Amino acid sequence: MILKYLNRLKYAPLYEIIRYSSSPPISIIISAYNEENTIINTVNSAKKVNYPFLEIIVVNDGSTDKTLDLLIKNYKLKKSIFFIYRQKIKTTKVKGLYYSELYPNLIVIDKEQTGKADSLNCGINVSKSPYFCSVDADSTLEKDALLRLTRKIVESRTPVIALGGVIRIVNGIKVEDEEIKNIELPRKCLPVFQIVEYIRGFLFGRLGWETLKGSFILSGAFTLLKKDAVIEVGGFLPNTVTEDLEIIARLHQHYRLKKEPYYIGFIPDPVCWTEVPEKISILGKQRRRWHLGLLQTLWIYRKMLFNPKFGKIGMLVMPFYLLEALGAIIETLGYPIVILSYLFGLLNIQFLILFITLAIVYGVFLSVGGIFLEEMSFKRYPKWSHLFRLLIYGVLENFGYRQLISLFKFMATFQFLFGYKKWEYVHKKGKK
Amino acid sequence: MTITLILVIFLIFFVTILLIIYDIGRRLIKNFKYKKLDFYRSIYLKELAEKFNSSSDIDQFVNFYKFHPTSLRGQALQEVLIKLSHNFEEEVKLFFKKLGYQEYHEKAIFSKNSIKRGIAFKILGDLKIQDSSIKIINTIKNEKNENILLTACMSLVKIISEYQIEEFLKILINKSENNFLSYKSVSLIMLSLLERFNKSAINVLKRELSSDKINDTTKSIFLESLYYIDYEDDTLKDIAIKNLSSDNPELIAKSLKIISKLKISEDDVDFSKILYFLNHPLWYIRLMAIKALKNVFNEKLIDKMVPLLSDNEWPVRLEAVNVLFSLPINIVIKKIPEWLDIKDNFARDTIVEFILKHNWTDKFNHMIEKGDANLKQQITDISVIIKNYYNFNFPIAQS
């Protein structure tokens, strides 16, 4: 699938799309809460995106740091003394709307802190474009990222509702003038483990589902959505912890029930670079939130599970994710149970060794498989040292990192069972 | 059980080792390949640029470059030729033909392998090999792959001659109507075609639009393409007006869009026809109807436009206020208090936002400076109304 796609890129038109009106206008919506370290870089990178009809909307989600001040200073923002704010999707009250004297396509919305979902809804209410792209405030879009996404909109005969691109990890990489210059692997272990994990997740998981036409998870850090469709289903839901996952599930449900043709998919070549946690405690927060979001979404849309009315999504994709969600419990409990069983004499040493070996060898196989796909396709890590380090970390991640992630998921399952719904903000270092 | 487990472990382990060996081996081979490609590219670029520049006889050196098109050297050579074609179009075409590459790619367009077909279409188009146009036209008649079709059509646009436009358009219509190409793909192809051929393509297009053989969706794509190019004439006007009677909303919207671009007068079109669309249930038709009326808007039409200030859709409200404020300033000033009396909040908001965003406050001040007492009073009334509604002063209220 990936090779077929890459070969197609050899002849598919790309830059022709810019020249004509076929490409739909897009609003990039950036929700920012206390992002003083990253916001200017993110807006600058959005400004540099190679796309003809672009509007950039930054939603300051009640930041208590200098996020808004920096935006005002850097882009000569002027507070509009009067503005119309029509709530096509109900949101919290907007405190102010700012226009830039330097960049007419930049708008900043200032509002009370109510979370990312509500901020995105505010952005949608202000947006003038038929499509919007939600981008995290600590992310850098590659120049052609939007163009590569919209190529699908131009070519598709089915209405495109949502498209997701690839998220790659920016830690350790030299970013100059908001552009990715020198690709390097980070020195710290934790981000490298995450690189291996992301490669596997995007090239194995998401591309695999795309092949089966069952894309269900698109990363909120970089997703293109059709505005009307999102408004029609009521916008992002503020009381879930992963609004990106929930909205995709809702869109699937909506269009399947309406029996209208639609396309929600993953495109492997547009890239958005984002920062990942470098501390275990922050990684734990992030992963617990993701898993809690998955469980919440599966619970909200439980009626879709095993329901033939929802086709492949209900019969195959959602059951898979349910299995994955439960897998974390089995995996986390599996290790102590097997060891305890051995200690209590219920299991012989031979089986214990075989069980642990199988778990590790299979994990290594998946990681190496992901790196293999990366090597076959985009090869974004060009040095030999990169390849060897990735392979080594692909092996090493099975000795502690994977178990740690399972533990976070296990903890999230408990949070879910006890009704925990809070959005945990993940603070990152910021690109220097 | 134990043996099975051991076997499974060994099997997975073995596959993993194979993947690692493959990764390393592939990278070794690729690195070697890319280095060679870079080397060949730089050599050929230098050599051929010199040769084409000095107008050497191609026959004298073509044999030195006869490599198989899929070989590394052949690949590098083709990339160099595409680069050089911008400066040496004819020389490159002749060289490409004498190398046998043209024949190779003309055969490849019949290949069962879609990638081979796609690449062949692209190269023939990029190098503008006009001789291949007939073969490509014949091939795409049976092509059903939407991605290949888009590439082939984009290439054809670059290489067909004027006399082939009609045939090409007929194929495009067929592909569009049989849903082999998306709406936006056809639009992209049409715009490229119009950009290259302009009047000759427009004439063929108008003939197709005048006939009843094409469906409404295709008609609307064609009309939209015509909107974006710098062209207007009476036939286009007639076509647009005729299509206003269609049942297809897309076609009506595109026809109104065309009318908005043309300089029409009351003699050209029965305004009641356009006014009717101001109340159409679809917002984009209402929007296009306002745009179509913009050029001929006058005081008599104010009453028809004012209700649209309360429209549910912001683009419609904005366009309505835009048109109303295009009237002479003394009429606008006289009418603003009436418009601000509309009960709908969004209508009032749209008017005030327009006044502030488009510096109408400066215009008001300018009128005040002229010293007309009546006008001054009207402007002061406006500022008082706005202050009462929104509780803010703008410069006029203070003046």
Side-chain angles (χ1 to χ4, degrees):
Chain A
M1 156 80 183
I2 192 147
L3 287 184
K4 202 177 161 192
Y5 183 81
L6 286 173
N7 278 321
R8 204 177 85 61
L9 296 184
K10 288 179 184 166
Y11 63 83
L14 180 67
Y15 294 104
E16 288 90 332
I17 296 171
I18 304 180
R19 295 173 58 207
Y20 302 110
S21 59
S22 313
S23 38
I26 293 178
S27 301
I28 294 181
I29 304 179
I30 304 164
S31 163
Y33 172 72
N34 287 353
E35 299 282 358
E36 62 180 13
N37 290 336
T38 56
I39 192 68
I40 300 301
N41 283 319
T42 307
V43 175
N44 284 345
S45 94
K47 269 168 46 209
K48 285 191 175 171
V49 166
N50 185 13
Y51 198 76
F53 316 107
L54 199 63
E55 177 186 47
I56 302 164
I57 301 169
V58 182
V59 188
N60 178 40
D61 186 24
S63 298
T64 49
D65 64 357
K66 289 180 185 160
T67 304
L68 184 63
D69 298 337
L70 282 171
L71 286 166
I72 291 172
K73 196 178 147 200
N74 277 275
Y75 304 112
K76 288 198 173 176
L77 297 181
K78 245 183 129 178
K79 192 172 183 179
S80 177
I81 54 165
F82 182 84
F83 62 87
I84 299 174
Y85 181 73
R86 182 162 223 182
Q87 298 201 21
K88 288 208 161 185
I89 305 169
K90 197 154 175 48
T91 65
T92 187
K93 207 180 158 197
V94 167
K95 289 199 288 189
L97 203 72
Y98 295 80
Y99 292 96
S100 167
E101 287 181 358
L102 303 174
Y103 310 101
N105 59 343
L106 173 67
I107 297 168
V108 174
I109 303 168
D110 186 29
K111 60 178 265 293
E112 302 281 340
Q113 203 247 313
T114 45
K116 192 178 170 189
D118 192 52
S119 302
L120 289 174
N121 289 337
C122 277
I124 293 170
N125 284 337
V126 170
S127 155
K128 288 186 167 69
S129 311
Y131 281 90
F132 70 91
C133 180
S134 65
V135 175
D136 276 359
D138 53 8
S139 305
T140 304
L141 282 175
E142 276 196 357
K143 255 189 168 177
D144 291 336
L146 286 185
L147 207 56
R148 288 178 192 281
L149 274 184
T150 45
R151 172 162 50 195
K152 183 70 195 174
I153 299 175
V154 172
E155 290 175 352
S156 175
R157 288 173 285 170
T158 314
V160 176
I161 303 302
L163 291 173
V166 175
I167 303 292
R168 286 183 181 269
I169 293 170
V170 81
N171 302 47
I173 287 177
K174 199 173 172 192
V175 182
E176 245 175 56
D177 295 331
E178 295 77 38
E179 278 180 53
I180 302 297
K181 293 282 178 199
N182 234 343
I183 293 183
E184 280 297 339
L185 287 177
R187 283 187 194 161
K188 290 186 179 173
C189 298
L190 206 55
V192 187
F193 281 133
Q194 291 173 77
I195 290 175
V196 175
E197 198 187 4
Y198 274 49
I199 290 176
R200 191 178 55 231
F202 280 94
L203 296 184
F204 236 137
R206 300 215 183 159
L207 201 62
W209 282 119
E210 176 60 24
T211 316
L212 297 171
K213 295 189 168 58
S215 289
F216 188 70
I217 297 182
L218 303 177
S219 174
F222 178 39
T223 309
L224 187 77
L225 288 144
K226 193 171 187 219
K227 194 173 78 180
D228 285 351
V230 174
I231 292 174
E232 205 177 328
V233 298
F236 290 93
L237 214 60
N239 53 3
T240 54
V241 291
T242 48
E243 71 298 321
D244 47 350
L245 175 56
E246 192 279 332
I247 191 82
I248 299 296
R250 194 145 31 105
L251 286 166
H252 273 301
Q253 184 196 45
H254 178 76
Y255 282 96
R256 293 270 173 179
L257 285 175
K258 270 177 90 180
K259 292 184 179 161
E260 273 183 19
Y262 72 101
Y263 176 81
I264 292 176
F266 168 73
I267 313 283
D269 60 324
V271 175
C272 176
W273 294 83
T274 198
E275 212 190 320
V276 293
E278 292 188 349
K279 284 182 184 166
I280 289 179
S281 58
I282 299 173
L283 178 73
K285 270 186 187 179
Q286 184 195 54
R287 297 311 169 92
R288 282 199 302 271
R289 184 172 69 80
W290 287 1
H291 200 67
L292 185 60
L294 174 67
L295 292 168
Q296 274 185 345
T297 306
L298 289 173
W299 178 250
I300 295 170
Y301 299 99
R302 58 192 179 278
K303 281 186 182 163
M304 286 171 75
L305 267 165
F306 304 107
N307 188 339
K309 223 195 268 181
F310 298 96
K312 219 175 276 177
I313 297 295
M315 297 301 286
L316 183 68
V317 184
M318 288 182 68
F320 171 84
Y321 283 108
L322 178 67
L323 200 69
E324 193 185 88
L326 299 175
I329 307 172
I330 296 162
E331 192 178 347
T332 313
L333 293 178
Y335 291 108
I337 287 174
V338 168
I339 292 167
L340 285 173
S341 304
Y342 165 71
L343 291 175
F344 287 105
L346 298 169
L347 213 68
N348 61 32
I349 183 81
Q350 199 184 22
F351 189 84
L352 175 75
I353 293 169
L354 280 176
F355 170 81
I356 293 174
T357 314
L358 180 64
I360 290 168
V361 168
Y362 182 65
V364 172
F365 165 72
L366 289 180
S367 304
V368 171
I371 299 162
F372 166 77
L373 282 179
E374 169 72 10
E375 200 56 27
M376 290 275 285
S377 53
F378 301 103
K379 224 172 100 177
R380 282 304 184 97
Y381 299 96
K383 292 183 187 169
W384 279 105
S385 60
H386 295 162
L387 177 65
F388 287 125
R389 270 189 83 194
L390 287 176
L391 285 171
I392 290 167
Y393 276 83
V395 176
L396 289 180
E397 75 159 338
N398 296 286
F399 298 93
Y401 179 77
R402 213 181 76 195
Q403 289 77 9
L404 188 69
I405 298 297
S406 276
L407 183 67
F408 292 144
K409 290 181 179 176
F410 184 69
M411 287 158 78
T413 311
F414 266 88
Q415 286 180 331
F416 171 72
L417 292 172
F418 292 103
Y420 185 85
K421 282 178 183 170
K422 208 176 128 197
W423 219 102
E424 289 185 272
Y425 278 98
V426 176
H427 291 280
K428 295 165 194 170
K429 201 175 75 178
K431 298 181 282 285
K432 298 290 177 195
Chain B
M1 175 71 178
T2 312
I3 292 172
T4 318
L5 264 178
I6 293 171
L7 273 176
V8 170
I9 291 169
F10 266 101
L11 187 68
I12 298 173
F13 183 73
F14 182 66
V15 175
T16 310
I17 296 293
L18 276 184
L19 288 180
I20 295 174
I21 294 170
Y22 184 89
D23 277 349
I24 296 170
R26 194 173 189 273
R27 187 169 271 219
L28 268 173
I29 294 166
K30 286 271 171 183
N31 281 359
F32 177 72
K33 192 180 151 186
Y34 291 144
K35 269 189 188 161
K36 281 224 155 193
L37 260 178
D38 285 343
F39 174 73
Y40 292 140
R41 276 187 208 120
S42 66
I43 297 250
Y44 298 152
L45 185 68
K46 201 179 157 197
E47 285 179 1
L48 289 173
E50 274 173 20
K51 284 178 172 139
F52 291 148
N53 238 339
S54 61
S55 314
S56 317
D57 183 3
I58 286 173
D59 289 326
Q60 283 178 352
F61 61 85
V62 69
N63 284 335
F64 293 109
Y65 296 95
K66 279 202 171 166
F67 315 115
H68 193 271
T70 55
S71 69
L72 269 187
R73 286 166 182 265
Q75 214 178 309
L77 189 59
Q78 288 176 85
E79 285 169 28
V80 165
L81 288 178
I82 290 173
K83 215 172 185 180
L84 287 173
S85 66
H86 304 297
N87 296 328
F88 306 100
E89 192 180 322
E90 290 311 314
E91 290 88 339
V92 166
K93 274 189 217 168
L94 188 63
F95 188 61
F96 190 74
K97 190 175 184 178
K98 292 203 169 181
L99 283 171
Y101 288 180
Q102 183 177 327
E103 197 187 336
Y104 172 82
H105 287 298
E106 282 177 352
K107 275 185 192 162
I109 61 175
F110 295 100
S111 166
K112 280 187 182 169
N113 181 331
S114 64
I115 295 155
K116 265 191 181 174
R117 287 203 307 278
I119 292 171
F121 283 129
K122 184 166 171 31
I123 290 182
L124 292 170
D126 283 349
L127 291 174
K128 299 192 179 100
I129 313 287
Q130 281 102 338
D131 297 350
S132 307
S133 61
I134 297 172
K135 281 187 182 149
I136 299 183
I137 285 180
N138 289 331
T139 323
I140 64 165
K141 281 178 187 165
N142 302 316
E143 181 67 65
K144 288 176 183 168
N145 180 322
E146 59 184 347
N147 302 320
I148 301 279
L149 261 176
L150 176 59
T151 304
C153 289
M154 290 299 280
S155 287
L156 266 178
V157 167
K158 293 177 193 164
I159 61 177
I160 53 168
S161 308
E162 273 190 28
Y163 76 92
Q164 290 170 306
I165 296 173
E166 191 158 1
E167 191 182 1
F168 175 63
L169 262 185
K170 287 208 184 325
I171 295 171
L172 199 59
I173 292 166
N174 175 281
K175 297 294 174 189
S176 164
E177 296 189 348
N178 288 302
N179 207 18
F180 288 125
L181 277 170
S182 73
Y183 186 104
K184 283 185 181 292
S185 295
V186 180
S187 175
L188 182 66
I189 297 164
M190 278 310 303
L191 284 161
S192 317
L193 184 80
L194 290 169
E195 192 185 69
R196 184 174 165 218
F197 290 102
N198 207 286
K199 272 199 173 172
S200 5
I202 291 166
N203 290 334
V204 182
L205 197 59
K206 282 194 304 192
R207 275 205 300 280
E208 292 297 337
L209 277 168
S210 308
S211 78
D212 289 327
K213 286 177 193 162
I214 57 174
N215 73 17
D216 287 349
T217 308
T218 312
K219 268 186 196 172
S220 59
I221 300 174
F222 286 179
L223 279 175
E224 176 150 46
S225 314
L226 285 168
Y227 173 82
Y228 285 107
I229 54 153
D230 187 20
Y231 176 82
E232 48 191 75
D233 76 349
D234 286 344
T235 335
L236 196 56
K237 203 181 292 177
D238 296 340
I239 292 169
I241 291 166
K242 185 184 158 197
N243 283 313
L244 287 179
S245 320
S246 165
D247 296 330
N248 183 304
E250 280 290 335
L251 186 55
I252 296 169
K254 303 303 178 214
S255 304
L256 287 166
K257 203 170 173 180
I258 285 280
I259 291 172
S260 73
K261 175 179 122 152
L262 303 172
K263 291 182 186 83
I264 52 156
S265 66
E266 281 188 73
D267 306 329
D268 292 320
V269 57
D270 176 7
F271 276 157
S272 61
K273 260 189 176 180
I274 299 178
L275 290 172
Y276 165 78
F277 293 117
L278 290 177
N279 300 316
H280 198 278
L282 288 168
W283 72 269
Y284 57 87
I285 292 190
R286 295 197 296 278
L287 176 71
M288 289 304 157
I290 302 173
K291 285 182 187 256
L293 285 170
K294 198 173 178 179
N295 288 331
V296 288
F297 192 69
N298 59 45
E299 212 179 336
K300 283 185 270 176
L301 297 172
I302 291 178
D303 291 344
K304 304 279 179 194
M305 197 58 68
V306 169
L308 290 158
L309 289 171
S310 316
D311 200 281
N312 272 337
E313 300 292 330
W314 69 263
V316 178
R317 293 198 304 271
L318 203 65
E319 200 55 41
V321 76
N322 204 359
V323 168
L324 285 166
F325 275 69
S326 69
L327 288 167
I329 190 162
N330 51 340
I331 299 176
V332 176
I333 290 171
K334 200 173 118 191
K335 289 283 178 185
I336 289 176
E338 270 178 47
W339 301 339
L340 285 174
D341 205 29
I342 300 173
K343 282 193 178 141
D344 183 86
N345 285 347
F346 285 105
R348 290 199 305 268
D349 290 354
T350 309
I351 296 163
V352 177
E353 191 188 53
F354 192 91
I355 290 172
L356 296 173
K357 259 193 178 172
H358 294 82
N359 293 328
W360 270 73
T361 50
D362 292 347
K363 289 182 190 173
F364 290 157
N365 284 329
H366 183 69
M367 296 301 281
I368 289 169
E369 279 165 21
K370 277 188 172 176
D372 183 327
N374 193 21
L375 261 177
K376 194 175 175 180
Q377 186 53 49
Q378 285 173 344
I379 292 168
T380 314
D381 291 346
I382 293 170
S383 70
V384 170
I385 296 171
I386 292 177
K387 197 189 170 197
N388 289 341
Y389 275 131
Y390 301 103
N391 198 24
F392 68 79
N393 290 315
F394 61 89
I396 298 164
Q398 291 150 11
S399 68

